[in-house]
Every structure is written in C-alpha cells, then in structure tokens.
Amino acid sequence: YKDGKRDGRGTHTWPDGSKYEGEYKDGKSHGRGIETYHDGSKYEGEWKDGEFWNGTFTDVDGSKTEWKDGKEI
C-alpha cells in the first residue's frame, strides 16, 4: 500500500470468488495481471488505470476477445 491505496504487486480476492493477481498503481490494476472471474472466465494481459489494455479475455465457452491499446479488437 502507498498512501492507503494498493501499489506494487499483489492479489485481491472478492467475496464471489473472483481474483486479481498482478500489479497495482494508485489503487487500480495497472501493469501485468490476471483476473479470474467467479464463472471461470478470465482476462490475462496488461491493464491501464483499472481497464483492460493489451491482453486476452477468455470466456467460459473458450471464446477469446483481444484487447489492444484499451480497445476490443
């Protein structure tokens, strides 16, 4: 923590079982990380200010969505 906000590397688990493992800056997901959701879907890649940036979201059915510079492609 820095100034009361998550900063650096860490893990956060929500009550529904979703989990983020990765880098934080100013309390937001920022840098490399993996977020696994309670339904089994996940996003793996780069985050910027808490948003998907450059990475891949994999849905429970195995379908994949790519993100580039904060935009779904």
Side-chain angles (χ1 to χ4, degrees):
Y1 282 87
K2 180 179 177 185
D3 298 326
K5 298 178 181 176
R6 288 183 179 91
D7 200 78
R9 286 199 58 79
T11 300
H12 181 82
T13 303
W14 285 267
D16 70 359
S18 298
K19 181 167 74 170
Y20 173 77
E21 297 177 83
E23 299 172 333
Y24 291 93
K25 181 179 176 185
D26 296 326
K28 297 178 182 176
S29 307
H30 190 90
R32 302 271 324 150
I34 300 171
E35 188 160 347
T36 306
Y37 301 93
H38 70 280
D39 65 0
S41 59
K42 75 176 182 177
Y43 173 79
E44 184 171 359
E46 186 179 346
W47 299 75
K48 185 172 182 181
D49 296 324
E51 303 291 330
F52 296 170
W53 197 250
N54 291 315
T56 304
F57 179 85
T58 305
D59 210 335
V60 293
D61 66 4
S63 62
K64 295 181 186 284
T65 304
E66 298 292 324
W67 290 80
K68 174 89 171 141
D69 297 331
K71 294 182 173 54
E72 186 177 332
I73 56 172

